Amino acid sequence: MTTSRLTLAQLLANADGEQLRSLIEKLYGVHEATDTLIEAHLLQKRPKALNEHIRERIRRVKQGRSFIDWRASDAFSRDIDVLVDDIEQLAEQDVIGGFDLIDALINTHSAVYARADDSSGMIGFSYRQATAMWLKIAMTARQSGFLDKNWPEEVYQRHLQNDYAVWDSLLANSRELLTEDELNRLAVRFESDLINCLDERENTTSRFAYLTAATGLKGVAEALQNASLYARATTLVSPQPNTLQLRDLVEFCLRVGDPQAALNWHAKGDWPAQSNDGSDLLDRIYQQTGNSQALYELRKQRYRSTPSYEHLQKLIELTTTDEASKFRHNAPAVAQEINNLGSALEFLMHLEQYELAQEKVLQHSDQLSQLFYGNLENYAKTFAMHHMPLAAALCYRALIDDILSEARYKAYHYAARYFKQLIKLDDKITDYRGALIHADYLEKLKNRHGRKRAFWTKVGE
């Protein structure tokens, strides 16, 4: 890529105006997107004409009738991105025109979503990029004094008109557009809206209106970096926040640098024992508060209750050199005691204790089918590389059995590849240690899946 760019730069340096003109004339008319780029580029020094050119393109976006399926959504989103770039160029010369155009572009979103499949999220991403540009141009317009607008009202109204979430980040990022006093007044307004909506929540027309007010209040809290305001937006709706809401509150408090508030909210949670969420959050809280002793005790407890290589590494970050050596020395024995085969193998592999991992596989080969496909394949390759052919063969057998039992036709070529590995490994295995020898496994495979001709053809039998 670098070479081609350098070559292009050299070619352009040596080209004269007539050559470039001829090239542009030849390119023009080949593709609509290229035509648009050429036209916008050539109009950059004529702001009025560029404004009209962009406005016409926005009109076509809004009034389009053809359905935008998921295949076309990427190209359509790129068209939006190019419009945003061109509007930014115009705004550098005409900030009022730039603001009107970026506002008009974003206001096409309802019409676009009505005829689009944005399952990829690309169109939404482009509109959110446009929202960021709206804020940038609005800040320039306000600071320069070119636009005399009630900016808090502009932001408030756009939040209310956010059916497709394109304005989601507006309030949270408005602290450079609005003053602290204006944001505080918006908070009062959203809180009043929220209380009124909650009172009328039973009405069909108002059932979900409270969500708009609640997200508005949270957006202002984001802009102000105010943890208590964010908490109020939550507790007005849910006086007893559930676990998900508590996690959100803790995350926000940590994000704005208020670990004590985070700790208070964390203490209210009934965190599921099988989930790491509660412990992960508490770890971050202790890090922010600088409570190294509590952090050490938490990490030691986590390592003991759910031993893993990750938990070991986090624990020894806080220990002395001697303590770290002891933990590392005992780690293989700890890993062997883990009941879950996948967790034990993952730990042992990270410790590079391949012989112990092999023994674990031989003892619990009936559990191999429960492991994640990608991990199992990696284990097979690792065992083979470290001259442990039996463990590798058992992993490959589990992969083959899973593919054939589920009749995953498109994966038969993988199963055939694994089977060929079994043939190679068989020559290196001197003792199957109670597992089926290769000939018996082959017979079992043919008895169960002999009619899957697509597989056997790929194997070569």
Side-chain angles (χ1 to χ4, degrees):
M1 184 65 72
T2 303
T3 302
S4 62
R5 285 178 178 169
L6 288 172
T7 303
L8 177 60
Q10 292 166 352
L11 289 170
L12 289 172
N14 294 324
D16 58 33
E18 188 57 38
Q19 283 179 299
L20 295 176
R21 182 186 185 94
S22 175
L23 173 63
I24 292 171
E25 288 175 348
K26 287 179 180 179
L27 287 174
Y28 194 81
V30 174
H31 194 281
E32 185 178 351
T34 307
D35 295 351
T36 299
L37 283 172
I38 292 171
E39 291 165 356
H41 190 78
L42 295 176
L43 291 173
Q44 280 184 359
K45 294 184 179 180
R46 297 166 58 194
K48 185 176 180 180
L50 180 58
N51 187 311
E52 293 172 356
H53 182 265
I54 295 172
R55 194 172 297 279
E56 172 58 23
R57 288 155 60 193
I58 293 173
R59 185 193 65 78
R60 291 200 299 268
V61 168
K62 186 173 185 177
Q63 296 182 4
R65 292 291 178 265
S66 59
F67 182 73
I68 307 163
D69 64 20
W70 65 270
R71 298 177 199 82
S73 63
D74 187 39
F76 184 86
S77 71
R78 285 198 299 271
D79 290 342
I80 299 296
D81 294 340
V82 171
L83 270 167
V84 172
D85 290 342
D86 290 345
I87 292 170
E88 182 179 21
Q89 291 289 328
L90 175 67
E92 291 176 1
Q93 306 172 71
D94 176 11
V95 69
I96 297 175
F99 180 80
D100 288 343
L101 288 172
I102 197 67
D103 200 48
L105 174 61
I106 299 173
N107 285 334
T108 64
H109 74 272
S110 294
V112 167
Y113 275 112
R115 63 184 181 96
D117 172 4
D118 190 33
S119 51
S120 69
M122 295 300 296
I123 296 175
F125 179 80
S126 293
Y127 273 110
R128 287 190 291 276
Q129 292 294 100
T131 303
M133 185 57 62
W134 186 97
L135 265 173
K136 180 180 178 180
I137 296 174
M139 285 187 287
T140 301
R142 184 173 196 181
Q143 291 166 5
S144 63
F146 284 124
L147 272 177
D148 184 19
K149 287 183 176 289
N150 182 343
W151 290 106
E153 184 66 22
E154 295 284 334
V155 171
Y156 176 81
Q157 290 300 327
R158 280 161 183 77
H159 179 77
L160 298 185
Q161 300 158 14
N162 192 31
D163 292 342
Y164 291 96
V166 298
W167 294 106
D168 268 6
S169 61
L170 180 62
L171 276 162
N173 293 306
S174 62
R175 56 183 171 271
E176 292 184 32
L177 174 64
L178 305 179
T179 66
E180 185 175 341
D181 184 57
E182 288 170 338
L183 285 167
N184 282 319
R185 283 193 301 240
L186 272 180
V188 171
R189 190 172 182 181
F190 278 122
E191 183 172 339
S192 175
D193 290 348
L194 179 55
I195 292 170
N196 291 336
C197 288
L198 290 172
D199 289 341
E200 300 175 9
R201 196 170 4 179
E202 297 306 314
N203 297 336
T204 303
T205 56
S206 303
R207 189 170 297 169
F208 300 109
Y210 77 93
L211 292 173
T212 300
T215 56
L217 190 54
K218 284 186 175 182
V220 175
E222 287 266 12
L224 291 170
Q225 302 282 281
N226 188 320
S228 60
L229 185 60
Y230 195 88
R232 182 148 178 77
T234 301
T235 55
L236 279 172
V237 177
S238 300
Q240 300 296 325
N242 60 34
T243 303
L244 288 176
Q245 290 168 324
L246 286 171
R247 175 183 179 135
D248 181 53
L249 282 166
V250 173
E251 291 272 9
F252 181 82
C253 292
L254 290 172
R255 199 159 59 243
V256 301
D258 192 346
Q260 188 56 53
L263 185 60
N264 294 340
W265 285 114
H266 186 279
K268 298 177 186 294
D270 183 16
W271 305 99
Q274 68 274 21
S275 170
N276 289 323
D277 283 359
S279 296
D280 286 343
L281 290 171
L282 197 55
D283 192 291
R284 291 169 57 193
I285 291 169
Y286 289 150
Q287 286 186 66
Q288 276 202 19
T289 57
N291 191 337
S292 56
Q293 184 59 38
L295 184 60
Y296 172 77
E297 293 298 331
L298 172 67
R299 291 187 179 182
K300 185 165 69 171
Q301 184 274 328
R302 292 189 75 181
Y303 179 61
R304 287 176 175 172
S305 61
T306 53
S308 69
Y309 185 75
E310 178 188 1
H311 288 166
L312 172 64
Q313 292 301 105
K314 286 190 173 182
L315 174 58
I316 62 178
E317 285 176 2
L318 305 175
T319 60
T320 64
T321 303
D322 288 344
E323 285 178 313
S325 295
K326 290 178 183 178
F327 280 120
R328 288 194 186 98
H329 177 75
N330 294 330
V334 171
Q336 282 183 291
E337 294 300 316
I338 299 174
N339 292 325
N340 181 280
L341 178 60
S343 299
L345 287 179
E346 194 68 14
F347 197 174
L348 290 167
M349 288 292 186
H350 274 105
L351 293 172
E352 299 182 353
Q353 295 288 330
Y354 304 116
E355 290 186 3
L356 294 178
Q358 175 182 231
E359 289 304 312
K360 202 76 176 176
V361 167
L362 296 178
Q363 293 167 14
H364 304 283
S365 59
D366 57 321
Q367 298 178 29
L368 286 171
S369 60
Q370 301 170 21
L371 303 187
F372 174 64
Y373 177 94
N375 289 346
L376 196 53
E377 184 179 34
N378 288 335
Y379 296 154
K381 291 177 180 178
T382 301
F383 284 131
M385 184 172 64
H386 288 87
H387 311 293
M388 298 174 187
L390 179 55
L394 293 175
C395 291
Y396 280 127
R397 286 182 182 184
L399 289 165
I400 294 168
D401 292 343
D402 181 61
I403 292 171
L404 296 183
S405 296
E406 297 293 328
R408 288 200 283 273
Y409 176 82
K410 292 183 178 180
Y412 280 1
H413 65 289
Y414 290 114
R417 187 200 305 167
Y418 301 147
F419 187 84
K420 291 173 183 176
Q421 289 296 323
L422 289 182
I423 296 172
K424 295 178 182 178
L425 291 166
D426 181 51
D427 293 336
K428 301 175 183 178
I429 299 172
T430 56
D431 181 4
Y432 271 89
R433 296 180 59 177
L436 291 176
I437 64 172
H438 181 71
D440 291 344
Y441 175 72
L442 175 58
E443 183 180 355
K444 175 185 173 183
L445 208 59
K446 286 185 174 180
N447 288 337
R448 288 187 178 179
H449 306 291
R451 299 178 65 182
K452 294 183 170 73
R453 295 180 181 176
F455 165 70
W456 294 108
T457 299
K458 295 178 187 300
V459 168
E461 293 202 10

